[in-house]
Structure formats: structure tokens, C-alpha cells
Amino acid sequence: MTAQEWLEELERLRKTATPGPWICKEGEGVDKDDVFITAEEREGMIGIAKIERGSPNAGMDEPFQSEQTANAAYIAAACNAVPRLIEMVQCLADKASGDVVLLGHGRWMEITRQNLIEITYKATEPKE
């Protein structure tokens, strides 16, 4: 997958998901031990996802409960951040100047919008 394909797929997924901002709601209703991820745009604040924190009665206590709460907050924050991160990458790529730079080992490259995105994408691939 190229960097542009990856960005386009993220954008497609974002556009088909519930509009944000996504938020965490804790301890409401029947499932007061759980955390719900929802969005203000949803009628009646229906949950998008439920993160089960368990209860001390079921042997689920700290640090598990705090970790589950943090997981819910992270999911909501990541979903809220994706649109801005995509925009930031595209904005930085738009700053590509067309300058020719030395890559090393006698190799030169013109910095264009597309190859700047691709170079950055490859440079930030998760390490195994």
C-alpha cells in the first residue's frame, strides 16, 4: 500500500463512521461499571462501543479498570485526531518545494508532494 492509498483509506473510513467529536461516558445506566464511546451527533447518545471495565465483585479491579478507562479515552482521542493528522500530512506535503536534494551514496531526488508523503510514510513504518 502506498502512502496516498493509506491516507485515502483512513479518510474513507473516517467519512463512513459516526461524525465526531467522539467522547467517553462513564458509569451511566444499567452498565454503570462500563465506559461508552459515543458522539454528540448520535441521537440519544447511543453508544458506538462499550468498554467493559468489569467490577470488583467479578475479580476485575485495579489496574485493569483504569487501563480499560484509558483504552476508551485513547480510542475516542485517536478518532478525533485522525482528520487533523491527515490534514497536517497533506499540508506539510503541499510545502514540498521541488528542490533537488542529495539522499546519499550519490543519489539525488526532487522533493515533490507525492514523494515527500511516500518517504515519510516509509520512514515511520512500525518497526518489527
mmCIF file of all heavy atoms in Angstrom, residues 32 50 56 60 63-64 70:
data_model
loop_
_atom_site.group_PDB
_atom_site.id
_atom_site.type_symbol
_atom_site.label_atom_id
_atom_site.label_comp_id
_atom_site.label_asym_id
_atom_site.label_seq_id
_atom_site.Cartn_x
_atom_site.Cartn_y
_atom_site.Cartn_z
ATOM 1 N N LYS A 32 -23.273 0.604 34.643
ATOM 2 C CA LYS A 32 -22.531 1.675 35.310
ATOM 3 C C LYS A 32 -21.057 1.353 35.529
ATOM 4 O O LYS A 32 -20.262 2.241 35.790
ATOM 5 C CB LYS A 32 -23.204 2.057 36.619
ATOM 6 C CG LYS A 32 -23.222 0.970 37.655
ATOM 7 C CD LYS A 32 -23.934 1.450 38.904
ATOM 8 C CE LYS A 32 -23.836 0.444 39.986
ATOM 9 N NZ LYS A 32 -24.874 -0.477 40.196
ATOM 10 N N LYS A 50 -18.708 -0.164 23.638
ATOM 11 C CA LYS A 50 -18.712 -0.284 25.093
ATOM 12 C C LYS A 50 -17.413 -0.953 25.509
ATOM 13 O O LYS A 50 -17.042 -1.993 24.975
ATOM 14 C CB LYS A 50 -19.906 -1.129 25.554
ATOM 15 C CG LYS A 50 -19.933 -1.370 27.055
ATOM 16 C CD LYS A 50 -21.198 -2.091 27.472
ATOM 17 C CE LYS A 50 -20.975 -3.566 27.493
ATOM 18 N NZ LYS A 50 -22.057 -4.322 28.135
ATOM 19 N N PRO A 56 -15.289 -5.120 40.748
ATOM 20 C CA PRO A 56 -14.530 -5.803 41.794
ATOM 21 C C PRO A 56 -15.186 -7.115 42.211
ATOM 22 O O PRO A 56 -14.494 -8.070 42.570
ATOM 23 C CB PRO A 56 -14.514 -4.792 42.937
ATOM 24 C CG PRO A 56 -14.662 -3.462 42.260
ATOM 25 C CD PRO A 56 -15.573 -3.730 41.096
ATOM 26 N N MET A 60 -12.420 -8.071 38.837
ATOM 27 C CA MET A 60 -11.803 -7.077 37.952
ATOM 28 C C MET A 60 -11.641 -5.781 38.733
ATOM 29 O O MET A 60 -12.596 -5.065 38.965
ATOM 30 C CB MET A 60 -12.673 -6.808 36.723
ATOM 31 C CG MET A 60 -13.048 -8.029 35.962
ATOM 32 S SD MET A 60 -11.607 -8.713 35.145
ATOM 33 C CE MET A 60 -12.376 -9.848 34.044
ATOM 34 N N PRO A 63 -5.176 -2.796 38.410
ATOM 35 C CA PRO A 63 -5.129 -1.687 37.467
ATOM 36 C C PRO A 63 -5.990 -1.904 36.225
ATOM 37 O O PRO A 63 -6.068 -1.032 35.369
ATOM 38 C CB PRO A 63 -3.659 -1.600 37.084
ATOM 39 C CG PRO A 63 -3.197 -3.022 37.148
ATOM 40 C CD PRO A 63 -3.994 -3.647 38.276
ATOM 41 N N PHE A 64 -6.673 -3.061 36.132
ATOM 42 C CA PHE A 64 -7.466 -3.386 34.943
ATOM 43 C C PHE A 64 -8.512 -2.315 34.641
ATOM 44 O O PHE A 64 -8.652 -1.881 33.499
ATOM 45 C CB PHE A 64 -8.152 -4.756 35.123
ATOM 46 C CG PHE A 64 -9.000 -5.159 33.958
ATOM 47 C CD1 PHE A 64 -8.414 -5.689 32.820
ATOM 48 C CD2 PHE A 64 -10.379 -4.995 33.990
ATOM 49 C CE1 PHE A 64 -9.192 -6.065 31.730
ATOM 50 C CE2 PHE A 64 -11.159 -5.371 32.906
ATOM 51 C CZ PHE A 64 -10.565 -5.906 31.784
ATOM 52 N N ALA A 70 -8.659 4.095 30.287
ATOM 53 C CA ALA A 70 -7.656 4.745 29.435
ATOM 54 C C ALA A 70 -7.787 4.274 27.987
ATOM 55 O O ALA A 70 -7.613 5.067 27.055
ATOM 56 C CB ALA A 70 -6.251 4.476 29.970
#
